[in-house]
Amino acid sequence: MQRIPVVLDVDTGVDDACALLLAALHPGLDLRAVTCVGGNAPLADVVRNTLLVLETAGRTDVPVGVGASRPLLEQPVDARHVHGSDGMADLGMPAPTLEPDARIAVDLLRDTVLAAAEAGEPVTLVPLAPMTNIALLARVHPEAFARIGRIFFMGGGANVSNATAAAEFNVFHDPEAAAVVLDACAAHEVPVAMYGLDVFYDPKVTDADVEALRAVDTPVARLAADLISFHHRRFANDGATIGDAGAVAMLLSPGAVRTERRPVRVELSGTWTRGRTIVDTRDWSGDMAHDPHGVSPAMVEVALEIDGPRIARLWLDTVAGEVR
Ligand code: BDR
Ligand code: CA
């Protein structure tokens, strides 16, 4: 199997942890590095959680870069009401023994992207968090940004929102960063796909799936079961989304997701709409040609429909150790 070189940017995060397990363990992916940013929890918690997940997965070889602790302009807001007070389900895990890489996130990203590009196997960058680190990469190391193979980000939504009535959490948290990244993708012709809230909630894991994972009884399966059952308890239902892990699964199973190539902009002002991704779904080019704003140069593959059970099964089989 041809392995896809990937780098994850995370704010671990219950569902970022699910995504890390998939990226660390699936044989179709070659996880080259992980970078951390403040988001679901403060940066120090995000770094600890990320190291713990990689250690549990036995991937102590993967360098972890520490990135931005806050958005470019906004004050940080976290989502501990969703992810627990430590950002990762309050499982009481011991401190990790693994240490972060000596390089800060933008330098680790630069080195990893350039090394992969020079070896002829460009990296797929998967931001699963506010895109502060990625925007900084675009500004600090534009030559490296230009050599990213493609970006698959979790964020935004054409029709669904969560942080506010208009905006999704990752984009709302740092709208300027998301706008910079979309602009940089257009300027450097880096292909970009958006795994937003239109599909995010569909790949679900049930109580019965969690029980089956517990029966596997490996450290990875136990962690995966604990993460999902935390969300079952928190939201008092028996079907929790694998969240960010779906964006990683989309790399492995592109046929399970229907996308449309659409111009996308980020709303940077607006009284009630700041941080909304404006997905241009107009179907008559005449309207677009006469738009007084012009059309967004950022053309994005927007995920609009997903085969949720297929994506959830891919994740379950991987964390159960059935995919090697
Ligand atoms: C996104 O925000 C975070 O809560 C999740 O980890 C995911 O990346 C969903 O809006
Ligand atoms: Ca996340």
Side-chain angles (χ1 to χ4, degrees):
M1 187 189 289
Q2 182 94 26
R3 300 176 79 210
I4 304 169
V6 292
V7 172
L8 265 52
D9 184 74
V10 294
D11 60 341
T12 319
V14 171
D15 60 323
D16 303 75
C18 293
L20 282 164
L21 288 176
L22 180 59
L25 295 170
H26 196 285
L29 299 176
D30 178 2
L31 182 60
R32 302 274 174 100
V34 177
T35 50
C36 296
V37 65
N40 286 322
L43 183 63
D45 289 341
V46 169
V47 173
R48 182 202 56 233
N49 295 342
T50 302
L51 296 172
L52 278 172
V53 176
L54 290 174
E55 228 171 66
T56 305
R59 292 301 307 271
T60 53
D61 57 307
V62 178
V64 173
V66 179
S69 60
R70 53 162 290 178
L72 297 179
L73 282 184
E74 294 284 356
Q75 290 300 318
V77 286
D78 63 54
R80 284 184 282 192
H81 60 293
V82 176
H83 296 268
S85 59
D86 70 354
M88 200 176 73
D90 294 319
L91 300 176
M93 293 173 80
T97 52
L98 194 60
E99 295 280 335
D101 197 86
R103 289 164 289 183
I104 59 169
V106 285
D107 291 350
L108 177 58
L109 285 169
R110 173 200 57 199
D111 293 352
T112 309
V113 165
L114 290 179
E118 270 147 38
E121 41 188 27
V123 138
T124 298
L125 178 60
V126 188
L128 302 174
M131 287 201 276
T132 321
N133 287 339
I134 318 306
L136 290 170
L137 177 74
R139 291 295 185 256
V140 177
H141 301 304
E143 76 295 348
F145 189 99
R147 302 196 70 188
I148 295 170
R150 55 185 176 163
I151 293 180
F152 270 42
F153 74 95
M154 189 285 133
N159 299 303
V160 187
S161 308
N162 59 3
T164 69
E168 180 280 331
F169 176 84
N170 289 339
V171 179
F172 177 74
H173 195 81
D174 197 342
E176 281 72 22
V180 165
V181 170
L182 290 186
D183 281 355
C185 285
H188 296 292
E189 297 181 1
V190 174
V192 54
M194 174 173 132
Y195 185 91
L197 294 180
D198 307 282
V199 291
F200 179 85
Y201 296 109
D202 289 345
K204 284 199 177 69
V205 172
T206 64
D207 270 340
D209 295 323
V210 168
E211 287 320 306
L213 275 182
R214 291 209 190 282
V216 173
D217 202 25
T218 59
V220 166
R222 277 197 295 277
L223 174 59
D226 287 346
L227 292 167
I228 294 293
S229 55
F230 173 82
H231 271 174
H232 287 165
R233 291 194 305 278
R234 178 134 300 201
F235 299 111
N237 58 26
D238 71 350
T241 176
I242 60 170
D244 289 341
V248 176
M250 182 175 159
L251 294 177
L252 293 159
S253 191
V257 185
R258 185 179 72 78
T259 64
E260 284 181 16
R261 191 171 156 77
R262 295 286 177 186
V264 176
R265 277 203 171 94
V266 179
E267 175 63 277
L268 296 178
S269 57
T271 307
W272 311 113
T273 53
R274 179 161 158 78
R276 183 174 184 86
T277 45
I278 311 293
V279 178
D280 194 339
T281 54
R282 289 175 292 180
D283 62 2
W284 183 49
S285 57
D287 281 338
M288 289 185 166
H290 291 89
D291 185 328
H293 303 298
V295 172
S296 169
M299 294 297 293
V300 178
E301 284 294 334
V302 180
L304 292 173
E305 279 182 272
I306 191 166
D307 183 343
R310 185 166 148 198
I311 292 289
R313 177 48 51 197
L314 192 159
W315 182 78
L316 280 164
D317 288 348
T318 304
V319 296
E322 285 168 22
V323 183
R324 290 172 206 277

